[in-house]
Amino acid sequence: MEVRWDGQVITGVSSVTPLRSTVEVIDVRDGGGGATYHLPGRSDTASLVISRGVSDDLAFELWARGPVLRKEVELRLVDISDGLSVGYRLPGCWVCGYSIAPDLESGTVVESLSLSTGRWYRVSPPAPELADHLAGERAVSVRRIDVAALISQYLSETSASLDAVFAEAEKSGAVLLLDEADALFSRRTEVRDAHDCYANAELDLLLERLSAYRGQVVVEGPQPPERR
């Protein structure tokens, strides 16, 4: 588990409460038939509580005792069952509570920071990292494929290239990492001339081969700009 804000990893974090969102249920009665309907009402996101043993690091206390500042908090959680890590971003967090007290069971002094956040969202791991994780689980290799290089202006050449790549991948069971294939797939519906029609036919052939592939496939898109 890793917690970050202000671009720094917060040390010593021992627990984080669940990310939880709820939607209020509104009961609406039908005046004529007497039936009751349930409709969604106001949504709410629970506060996040982060705890750790007290230390010389004053990150918790400085944020809590300073002016009301909103910060973006990043969480990175690791599933110990398979080692896969998942990341979450919580923009606009502000401190709604701070406490420090001894833990009666262990005797250690624990400080907790309660953060209010309006929303949170998951951040997908980089495609190469995900491909390496899947390959490690299956004890196979990662095969990076430059999709643009496979797609030729002639359907027969494209088919031959795909045959060679997938025949080799099927033998090893490799995880396929498609390099920036999303850019090509996004243009499938933008047909402006006959050349685009042929390109779509070649992409359809690629999709057909991918759907028949028995291994794992990861698509790598363009990297987002670095946050500052």
Side-chain angles (χ1 to χ4, degrees), residues 40 48 64-65 72 85 113 132 149 160 173 192 200 227:
L48 183 76
R65 292 185 177 276
E72 180 175 273
S85 64
L113 196 67
D132 287 340
R192 293 182 297 271
N200 278 350
R227 298 179 64 88

Side-chain angles (χ1 to χ4, degrees), residues 4-153:
R4 300 174 64 97
W5 62 70
D6 291 337
Q8 301 294 325
V9 175
I10 307 304
T11 60
V13 173
S14 57
S15 67
V16 176
T17 55
L19 296 173
R20 182 181 297 112
S21 295
T22 58
V23 178
E24 180 184 9
V25 179
I26 299 177
D27 296 333
V28 179
R29 294 186 178 275
D30 184 349
T36 300
Y37 301 94
H38 302 295
L39 298 176
R42 184 175 63 90
S43 62
D44 190 23
T45 301
S47 298
L48 183 76
V49 181
I50 305 173
S51 301
R52 67 174 183 174
V54 70
S55 68
D56 294 334
D57 181 5
L58 301 180
F60 277 34
E61 189 172 345
L62 288 176
W63 191 5
R65 292 185 177 276
V68 179
L69 296 177
R70 293 182 180 270
K71 302 177 184 287
E72 180 175 273
V73 174
E74 298 180 15
L75 299 180
R76 190 174 183 85
L77 310 176
V78 179
D79 188 334
I80 61 174
S81 66
D82 60 8
L84 182 63
S85 64
V86 291
Y88 293 89
R89 281 185 179 154
L90 294 74
C93 292
W94 53 275
V95 177
C96 59
Y98 173 78
S99 66
I100 181 168
D103 185 300
L104 298 180
E105 294 183 1
S106 65
T108 59
V109 179
V110 177
E111 62 176 347
S112 298
L113 196 67
S114 299
L115 300 176
S116 177
T117 179
R119 60 191 176 93
W120 48 267
Y121 58 92
R122 181 169 174 173
V123 180
S124 300
E129 179 181 322
L130 178 58
D132 287 340
H133 173 78
L134 294 173
E137 279 188 330
R138 294 157 176 78
V140 297
S141 61
V142 176
R143 172 70 188 276
R144 180 182 287 271
I145 297 177
D146 183 352
V147 175
L150 285 178
I151 302 300
S152 167
Q153 60 178 324

Side-chain angles (χ1 to χ4, degrees), residues 150-165:
L150 285 178
I151 302 300
S152 167
Q153 60 178 324
Y154 300 107
L155 189 60
S156 59
E157 292 182 359
T158 299
S159 179
S161 298
L162 291 175
D163 286 343
V165 168

